[in-house]
Coordinates of all heavy atoms in Angstrom, one line a residue:
M19 N 16.4 -3.0 -9.5 CA 16.6 -4.5 -9.7 C 15.4 -5.3 -9.6 O 14.6 -5.0 -8.6 CB 17.7 -4.9 -8.7 CG 18.3 -6.2 -9.0 SD 19.6 -6.6 -7.8 CE 18.5 -7.4 -6.5
A20 N 15.1 -6.2 -10.4 CA 13.9 -7.0 -10.3 C 14.0 -7.9 -9.1 O 15.1 -8.4 -8.7 CB 13.8 -7.9 -11.6
M21 N 12.9 -8.1 -8.5 CA 12.9 -8.9 -7.3 C 11.6 -9.8 -7.3 O 10.6 -9.4 -7.9 CB 12.8 -7.9 -6.1 CG 13.7 -8.3 -5.0 SD 13.2 -7.4 -3.5 CE 12.0 -8.5 -2.8
E22 N 11.7 -10.8 -6.5 CA 10.5 -11.7 -6.4 C 9.5 -11.1 -5.4 O 10.0 -10.7 -4.3 CB 10.9 -13.1 -6.0 CG 9.8 -14.1 -6.0 CD 10.1 -15.2 -6.9 OE1 11.1 -15.1 -7.7 OE2 9.3 -16.1 -6.9
C23 N 8.2 -11.0 -5.7 CA 7.3 -10.5 -4.7 C 7.1 -11.6 -3.7 O 6.8 -12.7 -4.0 CB 6.0 -10.2 -5.4 SG 4.6 -9.8 -4.3
T24 N 7.2 -11.2 -2.4 CA 7.0 -12.2 -1.3 C 5.6 -12.1 -0.8 O 5.3 -12.7 0.2 CB 8.0 -11.9 -0.2 OG1 7.7 -10.5 0.3 CG2 9.4 -11.9 -0.6
R25 N 4.7 -11.3 -1.4 CA 3.4 -11.1 -1.0 C 3.3 -10.6 0.4 O 2.5 -11.1 1.3 CB 2.6 -12.4 -1.1 CG 2.5 -12.9 -2.5 CD 1.8 -14.2 -2.7 NE 1.7 -14.6 -4.0 CZ 1.3 -15.8 -4.4 NH1 0.9 -16.7 -3.6 NH2 1.3 -16.1 -5.7
C26 N 4.2 -9.6 0.7 CA 4.2 -9.1 2.1 C 3.1 -8.2 2.4 O 2.8 -7.8 3.5 CB 5.6 -8.4 2.3 SG 5.6 -6.7 1.6
G27 N 2.4 -7.7 1.3 CA 1.2 -6.9 1.5 C 1.4 -5.4 1.6 O 0.5 -4.6 1.6
A28 N 2.7 -4.9 1.8 CA 2.9 -3.5 2.1 C 2.4 -2.6 1.0 O 1.9 -1.5 1.3 CB 4.4 -3.3 2.3
C29 N 2.6 -3.0 -0.3 CA 2.2 -2.1 -1.4 C 0.7 -2.0 -1.5 O 0.2 -1.2 -2.3 CB 2.9 -2.5 -2.7 SG 2.4 -4.1 -3.2
C30 N -0.1 -2.8 -0.8 CA -1.5 -2.7 -0.8 C -2.0 -2.0 0.4 O -3.2 -1.8 0.6 CB -2.1 -4.1 -0.9 SG -1.7 -5.1 -2.3
V31 N -1.1 -1.5 1.2 CA -1.5 -0.7 2.4 C -0.9 0.7 2.4 O -1.5 1.7 2.6 CB -1.0 -1.4 3.7 CG1 -1.4 -0.6 4.9 CG2 -1.6 -2.8 3.7
A32 N 0.5 0.8 2.1 CA 1.2 2.0 2.3 C 0.8 3.1 1.3 O 0.5 4.2 1.7 CB 2.7 1.8 2.3
P33 N 0.9 2.9 0.0 CA 0.7 4.0 -1.0 C -0.7 4.4 -1.1 O -1.6 3.6 -0.8 CB 1.3 3.4 -2.3 CG 1.2 1.9 -2.2 CD 1.2 1.6 -0.7
D34 N -0.9 5.6 -1.5 CA -2.3 6.0 -1.9 C -2.6 5.5 -3.3 O -1.7 5.5 -4.1 CB -2.5 7.5 -1.8 CG -1.7 8.3 -2.7 OD1 -0.5 8.0 -2.8 OD2 -2.2 9.2 -3.4
I35 N -3.8 5.0 -3.5 CA -4.1 4.4 -4.8 C -5.4 5.1 -5.3 O -6.5 4.8 -4.8 CB -4.3 2.9 -4.7 CG1 -3.0 2.2 -4.2 CG2 -4.6 2.3 -6.1 CD1 -3.1 0.7 -4.0
A36 N -5.2 6.1 -6.2 CA -6.4 6.9 -6.6 C -7.5 6.0 -7.3 O -8.6 6.2 -7.0 CB -5.9 7.9 -7.7
A37 N -7.1 5.0 -8.0 CA -8.1 4.2 -8.7 C -9.0 3.4 -7.7 O -10.1 3.0 -8.1 CB -7.4 3.1 -9.6
L38 N -8.5 3.3 -6.5 CA -9.3 2.6 -5.5 C -9.8 3.6 -4.5 O -10.4 3.1 -3.5 CB -8.4 1.5 -4.8 CG -8.0 0.4 -5.7 CD1 -6.8 -0.4 -5.0 CD2 -9.2 -0.6 -5.9
D39 N -9.5 4.9 -4.6 CA -9.9 5.9 -3.7 C -9.3 5.5 -2.3 O -10.0 5.7 -1.3 CB -11.4 6.0 -3.6 CG -11.8 7.3 -2.9 OD1 -11.0 8.3 -2.9 OD2 -12.9 7.3 -2.3
K40 N -8.1 4.9 -2.3 CA -7.5 4.5 -1.1 C -6.5 5.5 -0.6 O -5.5 5.8 -1.3 CB -6.8 3.1 -1.4 CG -6.1 2.5 -0.1 CD -5.3 1.3 -0.5 CE -3.8 1.6 -0.3 NZ -3.4 2.4 0.8
P41 N -6.7 6.0 0.6 CA -5.7 7.0 1.1 C -4.4 6.3 1.5 O -4.3 5.1 1.7 CB -6.4 7.5 2.4 CG -7.7 7.0 2.4 CD -7.7 5.7 1.6
L42 N -3.4 7.1 1.7 CA -2.1 6.8 2.1 C -2.2 6.0 3.5 O -2.9 6.4 4.4 CB -1.3 8.1 2.4 CG 0.2 8.1 2.4 CD1 0.7 7.7 1.0 CD2 0.6 9.6 2.7
G43 N -1.5 4.9 3.5 CA -1.3 4.2 4.8 C -2.5 3.4 5.2 O -2.6 2.9 6.4
M44 N -3.5 3.3 4.4 CA -4.7 2.5 4.8 C -4.8 1.3 4.0 O -4.6 1.2 2.8 CB -6.0 3.4 4.5 CG -6.0 4.6 5.4 SD -7.5 4.8 6.2 CE -7.2 6.3 7.2
R45 N -5.2 0.2 4.6 CA -5.3 -1.1 4.0 C -6.3 -1.1 2.9 O -7.4 -0.6 3.1 CB -5.7 -2.1 5.1 CG -5.6 -3.5 4.8 CD -6.0 -4.4 6.0 NE -6.0 -5.7 5.5 CZ -4.9 -6.5 5.6 NH1 -3.8 -6.1 6.2 NH2 -4.9 -7.7 5.2
C46 N -5.9 -1.6 1.7 CA -6.9 -1.7 0.6 C -8.0 -2.7 1.1 O -7.7 -3.7 1.6 CB -6.2 -2.3 -0.6 SG -7.4 -2.7 -1.9
P47 N -9.3 -2.3 0.9 CA -10.4 -3.2 1.4 C -10.4 -4.5 0.7 O -11.0 -5.5 1.1 CB -11.6 -2.4 1.0 CG -11.2 -1.3 0.1 CD -9.7 -1.1 0.3
H48 N -9.6 -4.6 -0.4 CA -9.6 -5.9 -1.2 C -8.5 -6.8 -0.7 O -8.4 -8.0 -1.2 CB -9.5 -5.7 -2.7 CG -10.5 -4.8 -3.2 ND1 -11.9 -5.0 -3.1 CD2 -10.4 -3.5 -3.9 CE1 -12.5 -4.0 -3.7 NE2 -11.7 -3.1 -4.1
L49 N -7.7 -6.4 0.2 CA -6.6 -7.2 0.7 C -7.1 -8.2 1.8 O -7.7 -7.8 2.8 CB -5.5 -6.3 1.3 CG -4.2 -7.0 1.6 CD1 -3.5 -7.5 0.4 CD2 -3.2 -6.0 2.3
T50 N -6.9 -9.5 1.5 CA -7.4 -10.5 2.5 C -6.5 -10.5 3.7 O -5.4 -10.0 3.7 CB -7.5 -11.9 1.8 OG1 -6.1 -12.3 1.6 CG2 -8.2 -11.9 0.5
A51 N -7.0 -11.3 4.7 CA -6.2 -11.4 5.9 C -4.8 -12.1 5.6 O -3.9 -11.9 6.4 CB -7.0 -12.2 6.9
D52 N -4.8 -12.9 4.5 CA -3.5 -13.5 4.1 C -2.7 -12.7 3.2 O -1.7 -13.1 2.6 CB -3.8 -14.8 3.4 CG -4.6 -15.8 4.2 OD1 -4.5 -15.8 5.4 OD2 -5.3 -16.6 3.6
N53 N -3.0 -11.4 3.1 CA -2.3 -10.5 2.3 C -2.4 -10.8 0.8 O -1.5 -10.6 0.0 CB -0.8 -10.3 2.7 CG -0.7 -9.6 4.0 OD1 -1.6 -9.0 4.5 ND2 0.4 -9.8 4.6
L54 N -3.5 -11.4 0.4 CA -3.8 -11.7 -1.0 C -4.8 -10.7 -1.5 O -5.6 -10.2 -0.8 CB -4.2 -13.1 -1.2 CG -3.1 -14.2 -0.8 CD1 -3.7 -15.6 -0.9 CD2 -1.9 -14.0 -1.6
C55 N -4.9 -10.6 -2.9 CA -5.8 -9.7 -3.5 C -7.1 -10.4 -3.8 O -7.1 -11.4 -4.5 CB -5.3 -9.1 -4.7 SG -6.4 -8.0 -5.6
S56 N -8.2 -10.0 -3.2 CA -9.5 -10.7 -3.4 C -10.1 -10.4 -4.7 O -11.1 -11.0 -5.1 CB -10.4 -10.4 -2.2 OG -10.8 -9.0 -2.2
V57 N -9.6 -9.4 -5.4 CA -10.2 -9.0 -6.7 C -9.1 -9.1 -7.8 O -9.1 -8.4 -8.7 CB -10.8 -7.6 -6.7 CG1 -12.0 -7.5 -5.8 CG2 -9.7 -6.5 -6.3
Y58 N -8.2 -10.1 -7.6 CA -7.0 -10.2 -8.4 C -7.3 -10.1 -9.9 O -6.7 -9.4 -10.7 CB -6.3 -11.5 -8.1 CG -4.9 -11.6 -8.7 CD1 -3.8 -10.9 -8.1 CD2 -4.7 -12.4 -9.8 CE1 -2.6 -11.0 -8.7 CE2 -3.4 -12.4 -10.4 CZ -2.4 -11.7 -9.8 OH -1.1 -11.8 -10.4
E59 N -8.4 -10.9 -10.3 CA -8.7 -10.9 -11.8 C -9.2 -9.6 -12.3 O -9.1 -9.3 -13.5 CB -9.8 -12.0 -12.1 CG -9.3 -13.4 -11.8 CD -8.1 -13.8 -12.6 OE1 -8.0 -13.3 -13.8 OE2 -7.2 -14.5 -12.1
R60 N -9.7 -8.7 -11.4 CA -10.3 -7.4 -11.9 C -9.6 -6.3 -11.1 O -10.2 -5.2 -11.0 CB -11.8 -7.4 -11.8 CG -12.3 -7.8 -10.5 CD -13.9 -8.0 -10.5 NE -14.3 -8.5 -9.2 CZ -14.6 -7.7 -8.2 NH1 -14.6 -6.4 -8.3 NH2 -15.0 -8.2 -7.0
R61 N -8.4 -6.5 -10.6 CA -7.7 -5.4 -9.9 C -7.4 -4.3 -10.9 O -7.2 -4.6 -12.1 CB -6.4 -5.9 -9.2 CG -5.3 -6.4 -10.2 CD -4.3 -7.3 -9.4 NE -3.1 -7.6 -10.2 CZ -3.0 -8.4 -11.2 NH1 -4.1 -9.0 -11.7 NH2 -1.9 -8.7 -11.8
P62 N -7.3 -3.1 -10.4 CA -7.0 -2.0 -11.4 C -5.6 -2.0 -12.0 O -4.7 -2.7 -11.5 CB -7.1 -0.7 -10.5 CG -7.2 -1.2 -9.1 CD -7.4 -2.6 -9.1
D63 N -5.5 -1.3 -13.2 CA -4.3 -1.4 -13.9 C -3.0 -1.0 -13.1 O -2.0 -1.6 -13.3 CB -4.4 -0.4 -15.1 CG -5.3 -0.9 -16.2 OD1 -5.7 -2.1 -16.1 OD2 -5.7 -0.1 -17.0
V64 N -3.2 0.0 -12.2 CA -2.1 0.4 -11.4 C -1.5 -0.8 -10.6 O -0.3 -0.9 -10.4 CB -2.5 1.6 -10.5 CG1 -3.5 1.3 -9.5 CG2 -1.2 2.2 -9.9
C65 N -2.4 -1.6 -10.1 CA -2.0 -2.8 -9.3 C -1.3 -3.8 -10.3 O -0.4 -4.5 -9.9 CB -3.2 -3.4 -8.6 SG -4.0 -2.3 -7.5
R66 N -1.9 -4.0 -11.5 CA -1.3 -4.9 -12.4 C 0.1 -4.5 -12.8 O 1.0 -5.3 -13.0 CB -2.2 -4.9 -13.7 CG -3.4 -5.7 -13.6 CD -4.3 -5.5 -14.8 NE -5.7 -5.8 -14.4 CZ -6.2 -7.1 -14.4 NH1 -5.4 -8.1 -14.8 NH2 -7.4 -7.3 -14.0
A67 N 0.3 -3.2 -12.9 CA 1.6 -2.7 -13.4 C 2.7 -2.7 -12.3 O 3.8 -2.6 -12.6 CB 1.4 -1.3 -13.9
Y68 N 2.2 -2.8 -11.0 CA 3.2 -2.8 -9.9 C 4.1 -3.9 -9.9 O 3.7 -5.1 -10.0 CB 2.4 -2.7 -8.6 CG 3.3 -2.1 -7.5 CD1 3.3 -0.8 -7.2 CD2 4.1 -3.0 -6.7 CE1 4.1 -0.3 -6.2 CE2 4.9 -2.5 -5.7 CZ 4.9 -1.1 -5.4 OH 5.6 -0.6 -4.4
Q69 N 5.4 -3.7 -9.9 CA 6.4 -4.7 -9.9 C 7.2 -4.7 -8.6 O 7.6 -3.6 -8.1 CB 7.4 -4.4 -11.0 CG 6.8 -4.4 -12.4 CD 6.9 -5.8 -13.1 OE1 7.6 -6.7 -12.6 NE2 6.1 -5.9 -14.2
A70 N 7.6 -5.8 -8.1 CA 8.5 -5.9 -6.9 C 9.8 -5.3 -7.4 O 10.3 -5.6 -8.5 CB 8.6 -7.3 -6.5
D71 N 10.4 -4.5 -6.5 CA 11.7 -4.0 -6.8 C 12.5 -3.8 -5.5 O 12.2 -4.4 -4.5 CB 11.6 -2.6 -7.6 CG 10.8 -1.6 -6.8 OD1 10.7 -1.8 -5.5 OD2 10.4 -0.6 -7.4
D72 N 13.6 -3.0 -5.6 CA 14.4 -2.8 -4.4 C 13.7 -2.3 -3.2 O 14.1 -2.5 -2.0 CB 15.6 -1.8 -4.7 CG 16.8 -2.5 -5.3 OD1 16.7 -3.8 -5.3 OD2 17.7 -1.9 -5.7
V73 N 12.6 -1.5 -3.4 CA 11.8 -1.0 -2.3 C 11.4 -2.2 -1.4 O 11.4 -2.1 -0.2 CB 10.6 -0.2 -2.8 CG1 9.7 0.2 -1.6 CG2 11.1 1.1 -3.5
C74 N 10.9 -3.2 -2.0 CA 10.4 -4.4 -1.2 C 11.5 -4.9 -0.3 O 11.2 -5.3 0.8 CB 10.0 -5.5 -2.2 SG 8.9 -4.9 -3.5
R75 N 12.7 -4.9 -0.7 CA 13.8 -5.4 0.1 C 14.1 -4.4 1.2 O 14.3 -4.7 2.4 CB 15.1 -5.6 -0.8 CG 16.3 -6.2 -0.1 CD 17.4 -6.5 -1.1 NE 17.7 -5.3 -1.9 CZ 18.4 -4.2 -1.5 NH1 18.8 -4.2 -0.3 NH2 18.6 -3.2 -2.3
L76 N 14.1 -3.1 0.8 CA 14.4 -2.0 1.8 C 13.4 -2.0 3.0 O 13.7 -1.6 4.1 CB 14.5 -0.7 1.1 CG 15.7 -0.5 0.2 CD1 15.5 0.8 -0.6 CD2 17.0 -0.4 1.0
I77 N 12.2 -2.3 2.7 CA 11.1 -2.2 3.7 C 10.9 -3.5 4.4 O 10.0 -3.6 5.3 CB 9.8 -1.7 3.1 CG1 9.2 -2.7 2.1 CG2 10.0 -0.3 2.5 CD1 7.8 -2.4 1.7
D78 N 11.6 -4.5 4.1 CA 11.4 -5.8 4.7 C 11.5 -5.8 6.2 O 12.3 -5.1 6.8 CB 12.5 -6.8 4.2 CG 12.1 -8.3 4.5 OD1 10.9 -8.5 4.6 OD2 13.1 -9.0 4.7
A79 N 10.5 -6.4 6.9 CA 10.4 -6.4 8.3 C 9.5 -7.5 8.7 O 8.7 -8.0 7.9 CB 9.9 -5.1 8.8
P80 N 9.5 -7.9 10.0 CA 8.7 -9.1 10.4 C 7.2 -8.9 10.4 O 6.4 -9.8 10.1 CB 9.1 -9.3 11.9 CG 10.4 -8.6 12.1 CD 10.4 -7.4 11.1
T81 N 6.7 -7.7 10.6 CA 5.2 -7.5 10.6 C 4.8 -6.5 9.5 O 5.6 -5.6 9.0 CB 4.7 -6.9 11.9 OG1 5.2 -5.6 12.0 CG2 5.2 -7.7 13.1
L82 N 3.6 -6.6 9.0 CA 3.0 -5.7 8.0 C 3.1 -4.3 8.5 O 3.4 -3.4 7.7 CB 1.6 -6.2 7.7 CG 0.9 -5.3 6.6 CD1 1.7 -5.3 5.3 CD2 -0.5 -5.8 6.4
E83 N 2.8 -4.1 9.7 CA 2.8 -2.7 10.3 C 4.2 -2.1 10.2 O 4.3 -0.9 9.8 CB 2.4 -2.8 11.8 CG 2.0 -1.4 12.3 CD 1.6 -1.5 13.8 OE1 1.4 -2.6 14.3 OE2 1.6 -0.5 14.4
E84 N 5.2 -2.9 10.5 CA 6.6 -2.4 10.4 C 6.9 -2.1 8.9 O 7.6 -1.1 8.6 CB 7.6 -3.4 10.9 CG 7.5 -3.5 12.5 CD 8.4 -4.6 12.9 OE1 9.6 -4.4 13.1 OE2 7.8 -5.7 13.1
R85 N 6.5 -3.0 8.0 CA 6.8 -2.8 6.6 C 6.2 -1.6 6.1 O 6.8 -0.8 5.3 CB 6.4 -4.0 5.8 CG 7.2 -5.3 6.1 CD 6.9 -6.4 5.1 NE 5.6 -7.0 5.2 CZ 5.2 -8.0 6.0 NH1 6.1 -8.5 6.9 NH2 4.0 -8.5 6.0
V86 N 4.9 -1.3 6.4 CA 4.2 -0.1 6.0 C 4.9 1.1 6.6 O 5.1 2.1 5.9 CB 2.7 -0.2 6.4 CG1 2.0 1.1 6.2 CG2 2.0 -1.3 5.6
G87 N 5.3 1.0 7.8 CA 6.0 2.2 8.4 C 7.3 2.5 7.7 O 7.6 3.6 7.5
K88 N 8.0 1.4 7.3 CA 9.3 1.7 6.6 C 9.0 2.2 5.2 O 9.8 3.1 4.7 CB 10.1 0.3 6.5 CG 10.7 0.0 7.9 CD 11.4 -1.4 7.9 CE 12.8 -1.4 7.3 NZ 13.5 -2.7 7.5
Y89 N 8.0 1.7 4.6 CA 7.6 2.2 3.2 C 7.3 3.7 3.3 O 7.8 4.5 2.5 CB 6.4 1.5 2.7 CG 6.0 1.8 1.3 CD1 6.2 0.9 0.3 CD2 5.4 3.1 1.0 CE1 5.8 1.2 -1.0 CE2 5.0 3.4 -0.3 CZ 5.2 2.5 -1.3 OH 4.8 2.8 -2.6
L90 N 6.5 4.1 4.3 CA 6.1 5.5 4.4 C 7.3 6.4 4.7 O 7.5 7.5 4.2 CB 5.0 5.7 5.5 CG 3.7 5.0 5.1 CD1 2.7 5.0 6.3 CD2 3.0 5.7 4.0
A91 N 8.2 5.9 5.6 CA 9.4 6.6 6.0 C 10.3 6.8 4.8 O 10.9 7.9 4.6 CB 10.1 5.9 7.1
L92 N 10.4 5.7 4.0 CA 11.3 5.8 2.8 C 10.9 6.9 1.9 O 11.8 7.6 1.3 CB 11.2 4.4 2.1 CG 12.2 4.1 1.0 CD1 13.6 4.0 1.5 CD2 11.8 2.8 0.3
F93 N 9.6 7.1 1.7 CA 9.2 8.1 0.8 C 8.8 9.4 1.5 O 8.1 10.3 1.0 CB 8.0 7.6 0.0 CG 8.4 6.5 -1.0 CD1 8.1 5.2 -0.7 CD2 9.1 6.8 -2.1 CE1 8.5 4.2 -1.5 CE2 9.5 5.8 -3.0 CZ 9.2 4.5 -2.7
E94 N 9.2 9.5 2.8 CA 9.0 10.7 3.6 C 7.5 11.0 3.7 O 7.1 12.2 3.5 CB 9.8 11.9 3.1 CG 11.3 11.5 3.2 CD 12.2 12.7 2.8 OE1 11.7 13.7 2.4 OE2 13.4 12.6 3.0
L95 N 6.7 10.0 3.9 CA 5.2 10.2 3.9 C 4.6 9.9 5.3 O 3.4 9.8 5.5 CB 4.6 9.3 2.9 CG 4.9 9.7 1.4 CD1 4.5 8.6 0.5 CD2 4.1 11.0 1.0
T96 N 5.5 9.7 6.3 CA 5.0 9.3 7.6 C 4.1 10.3 8.2 O 3.0 9.9 8.7 CB 6.2 9.1 8.5 OG1 7.2 8.2 7.9 CG2 5.8 8.5 9.9
E97 N 4.4 11.6 8.1 CA 3.6 12.6 8.7 C 2.3 12.8 8.0 O 1.2 12.9 8.6 CB 4.4 14.0 8.7 CG 5.4 14.1 9.8 CD 4.8 13.7 11.2 OE1 3.7 14.2 11.5 OE2 5.5 12.9 11.9
E98 N 2.3 12.7 6.7 CA 1.1 12.8 5.9 C 0.1 11.7 6.2 O -1.1 11.9 6.4 CB 1.5 12.8 4.4 CG 0.4 13.4 3.5 CD 0.9 13.5 2.1 OE1 2.1 13.7 1.8 OE2 0.0 13.3 1.2
A99 N 0.7 10.5 6.3 CA -0.1 9.3 6.7 C -0.7 9.5 8.1 O -1.9 9.2 8.3 CB 0.7 8.1 6.6
R100 N 0.1 10.0 9.0 CA -0.4 10.2 10.4 C -1.6 11.2 10.4 O -2.6 11.0 11.0 CB 0.7 10.7 11.3 CG 0.4 10.5 12.8 CD 1.4 11.3 13.6 NE 2.7 11.3 13.2 CZ 3.7 10.4 13.5 NH1 3.3 9.4 14.4 NH2 4.9 10.5 13.1
A101 N -1.4 12.3 9.6 CA -2.5 13.3 9.6 C -3.8 12.7 9.0 O -4.9 13.0 9.5 CB -2.0 14.5 8.7
I102 N -3.6 11.9 8.0 CA -4.8 11.3 7.3 C -5.5 10.4 8.3 O -6.7 10.4 8.5 CB -4.4 10.6 6.0 CG1 -4.1 11.6 5.0 CG2 -5.5 9.6 5.6 CD1 -3.5 11.0 3.7
R103 N -4.7 9.6 9.0 CA -5.2 8.7 10.0 C -6.0 9.4 11.1 O -7.1 9.1 11.5 CB -4.1 7.8 10.7 CG -4.1 6.4 10.3 CD -3.3 5.5 11.2 NE -2.1 6.1 11.8 CZ -0.9 6.2 11.2 NH1 -0.7 5.7 10.0 NH2 0.1 6.7 11.8
Q104 N -5.4 10.5 11.6 CA -6.0 11.3 12.7 C -7.2 12.0 12.3 O -8.1 12.2 13.1 CB -4.9 12.3 13.2 CG -4.0 11.7 14.2 CD -2.8 12.6 14.6 OE1 -2.7 13.7 14.1 NE2 -2.0 12.1 15.5
S105 N -7.3 12.4 11.0 CA -8.5 13.0 10.5 C -9.7 12.0 10.3 O -10.8 12.4 10.0 CB -8.3 13.8 9.3 OG -8.0 13.0 8.2
G106 N -9.3 10.7 10.4 CA -10.3 9.7 10.3 C -10.8 9.5 8.8 O -12.0 9.1 8.6
C107 N -10.0 10.0 7.9 CA -10.5 9.9 6.5 C -10.5 8.5 6.0 O -9.5 7.7 6.1 CB -9.5 10.7 5.6 SG -10.0 12.4 5.7
S108 N -11.6 8.1 5.4 CA -11.7 6.7 4.9 C -11.5 6.7 3.4 O -11.5 5.6 2.8 CB -13.1 6.2 5.3 OG -14.1 7.0 4.8
S109 N -11.4 7.8 2.8 CA -11.2 7.8 1.3 C -10.3 8.9 0.9 O -10.1 9.9 1.6 CB -12.5 7.9 0.6 OG -12.9 9.2 0.4
M110 N -9.7 8.8 -0.2 CA -8.8 9.8 -0.7 C -9.5 11.1 -1.1 O -9.0 12.1 -0.9 CB -8.1 9.3 -2.0 CG -6.7 9.0 -1.5 SD -5.6 8.4 -2.8 CE -6.1 9.2 -4.3
R111 N -10.8 10.9 -1.6 CA -11.5 12.1 -1.9 C -11.7 12.9 -0.6 O -11.5 14.1 -0.6 CB -12.9 11.7 -2.4 CG -13.0 11.9 -3.9 CD -14.5 11.8 -4.4 NE -15.1 10.6 -3.8 CZ -15.1 9.4 -4.4 NH1 -14.4 9.2 -5.5 NH2 -15.7 8.4 -3.8
K112 N -12.1 12.3 0.5 CA -12.2 13.0 1.7 C -10.9 13.5 2.2 O -10.8 14.7 2.7 CB -12.8 12.0 2.8 CG -14.3 11.9 2.7 CD -14.8 11.2 3.9 CE -15.9 10.2 3.6 NZ -16.0 9.1 4.5
A113 N -9.8 12.7 2.1 CA -8.5 13.2 2.5 C -8.1 14.4 1.8 O -7.5 15.3 2.4 CB -7.5 12.1 2.3
R114 N -8.4 14.5 0.5 CA -8.0 15.7 -0.2 C -8.9 16.9 -0.1 O -8.4 18.0 -0.1 CB -8.0 15.3 -1.7 CG -6.8 14.3 -2.0 CD -6.3 14.4 -3.4 NE -5.1 13.6 -3.5 CZ -4.9 12.7 -4.3 NH1 -5.8 12.4 -5.2 NH2 -3.7 12.0 -4.4
H115 N -10.2 16.6 0.1 CA -11.1 17.8 0.1 C -11.8 18.1 1.4 O -12.6 18.9 1.5 CB -12.2 17.5 -1.0 CG -11.6 17.3 -2.4 ND1 -10.8 18.3 -3.0 CD2 -11.6 16.2 -3.2 CE1 -10.4 17.8 -4.2 NE2 -10.9 16.6 -4.3
G116 N -11.4 17.3 2.4 CA -11.8 17.6 3.8 C -13.2 17.3 4.1 O -14.1 17.0 3.3
Ligands
SF4_221 S1 5.8 -4.5 -1.3 FE1 6.9 -5.8 -2.8 S2 7.1 -7.8 -1.9 FE2 5.5 -6.7 -0.8 S3 3.6 -7.4 -1.8 FE3 4.3 -5.4 -2.7 S4 5.5 -6.0 -4.5 FE4 5.3 -7.8 -3.2
SF4_222 S1 -6.9 -4.1 -5.5 FE1 -5.7 -5.9 -4.9 S2 -3.6 -5.6 -5.7 FE2 -4.7 -3.6 -5.7 S3 -4.1 -2.6 -3.7 FE3 -6.1 -3.8 -3.4 S4 -5.5 -5.8 -2.6 FE4 -3.6 -4.8 -3.6

């Protein structure tokens, strides 16, 4: 179902985004403190194509941290994200190839 984006920021933190070399669960470096995209005019196609949907409603929570946690749990990626965090990986290339 189509939904209005509330600019909650979760989709710029939770998923891995290959075009940005962004690992799972890590904040996109282009996301501002207000959860806005600082490169909006030149954001990658994958970000342009992203549409708010039911997931946004399902992960709704008071804080960004909670929303990201719910997003990862929804897609059963909590453990994978934890492992990436623990290994201190700052990029997807590193996360994948060690
Ligand atoms: S998770 Fe959904 S509501 Fe939040 S910023 Fe992304 S598209 Fe918008
Ligand atoms: S480039 Fe912009 S829209 Fe894409 S994940 Fe980063 S902050 Fe979000």
Side-chain angles (χ1 to χ4, degrees):
M19 196 179 83
M21 225 197 84
E22 186 119 354
C23 172
T24 60
R25 299 179 179 170
C26 82
C29 62
C30 299
V31 180
D34 64 311
I35 304 177
L38 292 163
D39 196 28
K40 182 189 108 39
L42 202 62
M44 298 226 177
R45 191 179 176 89
C46 173
H48 305 302
L49 190 65
T50 68
D52 300 332
N53 292 341
L54 296 176
C55 178
S56 64
V57 294
Y58 192 77
E59 294 303 324
R60 52 190 176 87
R61 69 197 188 287
D63 289 344
V64 64
C65 301
R66 285 173 199 274
Y68 200 90
Q69 299 267 348
D71 60 16
D72 271 355
V73 170
C74 309
R75 187 177 47 77
L76 290 170
I77 64 169
D78 191 31
T81 68
L82 179 59
E83 195 183 346
E84 287 171 89
R85 293 190 289 277
V86 169
K88 284 173 86 171
Y89 184 110
L90 294 170
L92 187 67
F93 294 102
E94 299 185 352
L95 292 166
T96 306
E97 281 309 313
E98 201 176 323
R100 198 194 319 269
I102 287 171
R103 250 195 329 272
Q104 277 172 358
S105 69
C107 279
S108 55
S109 85
M110 255 183 30
R111 253 192 314 274
K112 279 193 221 153
R114 290 207 170 125
H115 304 298

